[in-house]
Amino acid sequence: VFPNKRALWMQMIQLEREHGTPESLDKELASACERLPHIELFWLLRAKECWVGGNVDKARQVLTDAFNANPDSETVWLAAAKLEWENGEVERARVLLERARERAPT
């Protein structure tokens, strides 16, 4: 009924996290990202769920899509750098942080 209400999406995501499957959670997070692409939190939650679930490549893709929707988001840049750092990709993390300094407004 209210597909653009952040609070309703958060409740749905919490419901899926507690009672759904990883696949159903990912589906709801993907829908939230599609409906509200400028809400960084949904992108970050989806990337984290992918990462925690062992799918680093999918987490990278989610963050790439988040960049496209939010190109000046310092939060997304830092999340991408952290993903690379935590996975031993120090050079990738370094490049992301350099790009962040060039692009992010703060």
Side-chain angles (χ1 to χ4, degrees):
V1 178
F2 300 103
N4 296 324
K5 289 291 220 179
R6 179 179 177 228
L8 292 177
W9 282 105
M10 289 302 298
Q11 290 175 352
M12 177 61 101
I13 290 165
Q14 188 61 33
L15 180 71
E16 289 300 328
R17 185 177 279 140
E18 292 175 9
H19 302 286
T21 64
E23 293 79 18
S24 66
L25 175 59
D26 185 63
K27 181 182 173 196
E28 292 304 325
L29 284 166
S31 294
C33 292
E34 183 179 319
R35 279 292 202 174
L36 299 167
H38 299 297
I39 305 291
E40 299 161 350
L41 177 62
F42 296 136
W43 296 104
L44 299 175
L45 288 172
R46 187 171 186 218
K48 183 176 181 180
E49 291 295 329
C50 292
W51 177 36
V52 169
N55 196 339
V56 175
D57 289 335
K58 186 172 181 179
R60 284 185 181 118
Q61 184 58 54
V62 169
L63 291 172
T64 298
D65 295 342
F67 285 135
N68 292 334
N70 303 284
D72 296 325
S73 170
E74 183 177 336
T75 306
V76 174
W77 284 103
L78 292 174
K82 179 180 179 180
L83 175 69
E84 299 303 346
W85 178 267
E86 294 289 332
N87 286 284
E89 296 288 344
V90 176
E91 190 55 38
R92 276 181 140 171
R94 184 176 288 122
V95 167
L96 284 167
L97 290 172
E98 288 172 4
R99 286 186 191 159
R101 274 198 319 244
E102 294 169 4
R103 295 209 45 187
T106 59

